[in-house]
């Protein structure tokens, strides 16, 4: 008798579901994955909704007490949890809400109405439940997702690169966007996306989060050549990450 396939379920929270769409668009890669797992819940590609699963893939950040309770309930059924995309791994664009108090944000968006009374500061998935694997990016880089899922199925760890996107840019022989007078977060952002945006002439916007020690491991030649500092770059790290939180993490301001 053949061994049953692991059951995989995709769930979403506060997000645009763009990372799941990237998975749905994997084509042959998704078909190959479906040969070795049973996808039991994935709103982008199927109407069925199985409630028993081994691997939980979560997209989106946690933005309310209801989200927290729902995530804990869903996670309790899984053996392995994968955080999918910047919202799940870092808090993502939704982290912009944390730059001001909840009261200020609600007043700016809703005025005197409060349709989300249980709203909380945006949280990444690992701030609520334990996460086993991370697939960074906004949206995710499809080949990396498949590599992570291979590690999940083999029971092997997946190490997110701790060198900057600049390394991949150089490997791909891209002209540095700083040479074009543009600002880029590549010197301090985790690689793993194959320098996706710079390959097409755009800039890195930091959607994969900071490398573990940007103060000592950032792309120093880029920083020195263009008169940049890690602190200056961190000031720009607010679109996908809570820049204030990141600065505290690396000792740039006191932790709360």
């Amino acid at each position: 008798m053949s061994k049953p396939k692991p059951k995989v379920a995709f769930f979403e929270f506060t997000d645009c579901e763009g990372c799941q769409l990237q998975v749905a668009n994997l084509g042959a890669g998704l078909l190959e994955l479906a040969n070795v797992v049973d996808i039991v819940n994935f709103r982008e590609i199927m109407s069925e909704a199985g409630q028993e699963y081994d691997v939980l893939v979560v997209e989106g950040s946690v933005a309310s007490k209801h989200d927290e309770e729902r995530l804990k309930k869903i996670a309790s059924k899984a053996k392995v949890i994968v955080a999918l995309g910047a919202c799940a791994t870092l808090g993502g664009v939704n982290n912009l809400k944390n730059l001001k108090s909840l009261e200020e944000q609600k007043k700016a968006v809703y005025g005197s109405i409060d349709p989300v009374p249980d709203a909380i500061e945006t949280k990444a998935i690992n701030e609520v439940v334990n996460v086993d694997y991370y697939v960074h990016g906004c949206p995710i880089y499809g080949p990396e997702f498949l590599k992570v899922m291979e590690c999940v199925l083999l029971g092997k760890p997946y190490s997110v690169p701790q060198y900057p996107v600049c390394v991949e840019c150089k490997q791909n022989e891209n002209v540095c966007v700083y040479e074009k007078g543009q600002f880029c977060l590549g010197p301090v952002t985790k690689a793993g996306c194959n320098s996706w945006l710079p390959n097409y002439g755009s800039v890195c916007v930091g959607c994969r989060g900071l490398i573990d020690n940007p103060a000592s491991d950032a792309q120093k030649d880029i920083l020195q050549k263009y008169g940049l500092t890690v602190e200056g770059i961190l000031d720009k790290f607010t679109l996908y990450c809570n820049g204030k939180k990141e600065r505290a993490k690396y000792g740039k301001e006191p932790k709360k």
Side-chain angles (χ1 to χ4, degrees):
M1 180 178 292
S2 60
K3 187 177 179 180
K5 297 179 182 179
K7 292 181 171 61
V8 179
F10 291 76
F11 284 90
E12 60 284 324
F13 286 80
T14 302
D15 64 338
C16 69
E17 296 189 28
C19 291
Q20 289 179 85
L21 185 59
Q22 284 292 100
V23 175
N25 287 335
L26 283 172
L30 181 57
L31 291 177
E32 290 177 8
L33 178 63
N35 284 331
V36 293
V37 303
D38 281 333
I39 299 175
V40 298
N41 197 320
F42 193 168
R43 190 166 66 176
E44 294 280 348
I45 63 173
M46 59 194 290
S47 57
E48 295 83 358
Q51 297 303 315
E52 299 297 327
Y53 40 84
D54 305 295
V55 180
L56 171 63
V57 182
V58 181
E59 181 181 4
S61 62
V62 173
S64 68
K65 292 179 181 178
H66 174 264
D67 281 353
E68 282 189 311
E69 294 168 2
R70 176 171 171 253
L71 176 58
K72 289 176 182 177
K73 181 178 179 179
I74 292 170
S76 68
K77 300 181 180 181
K79 298 175 183 176
V80 177
I81 298 176
V82 180
L84 184 72
C87 291
T89 62
L90 303 169
V93 174
N94 304 316
N95 252 322
L96 291 172
K97 181 177 74 173
N98 296 350
L99 297 178
K100 293 184 179 181
S101 69
L102 279 175
E103 291 72 23
E104 289 178 289
Q105 296 289 16
K106 284 185 176 183
K107 185 176 180 180
V109 176
Y110 302 115
S112 59
I113 303 172
D114 187 1
V116 193
D118 69 337
I120 59 174
E121 284 198 348
T122 296
K123 295 181 180 180
I125 298 305
N126 70 340
E127 294 180 86
V128 180
V129 297
N130 291 327
V131 171
D132 301 291
Y133 294 88
Y134 295 84
V135 188
H136 291 285
C138 181
I140 60 160
Y141 181 56
E144 184 183 34
F145 169 77
L146 292 175
K147 188 184 299 184
V148 170
M149 290 305 294
E150 180 181 353
C151 291
V152 170
L153 296 176
L154 293 175
K156 296 169 51 178
Y158 173 73
S159 298
V160 178
Q162 287 302 329
Y163 50 83
V165 172
C166 292
V167 173
E168 294 177 330
C169 252
K170 291 181 176 181
Q171 291 173 340
N172 289 324
E173 300 183 352
N174 293 329
V175 175
C176 181
V177 296
Y178 280 103
E179 295 284 357
K180 304 175 185 178
Q182 297 173 293
F183 182 86
C184 179
L185 290 172
V188 297
T189 299
K190 291 184 180 81
C193 61
N194 192 36
S195 63
W196 197 1
L197 288 178
N199 291 349
Y200 292 95
S202 189
V203 300
C204 172
V205 292
C207 69
R208 295 180 59 82
L210 286 170
I211 55 177
D212 278 355
N213 193 346
S216 62
D217 297 331
Q219 195 71 39
K220 292 181 180 178
D221 57 335
I222 301 293
L223 297 175
Q224 292 171 357
K225 181 176 180 180
Y226 298 101
L228 303 169
T229 64
V230 171
E231 290 84 353
I233 289 182
L234 287 176
D235 284 338
K236 304 289 186 180
F237 231 90
T238 54
L239 180 58
Y240 289 98
C241 307
N242 183 334
K244 190 173 184 180
K245 184 189 296 183
E246 296 298 332
R247 285 194 294 274
K249 185 189 301 183
Y250 298 107
K252 304 306 177 184
E253 66 181 32
K255 293 184 179 180
K256 289 188 175 181

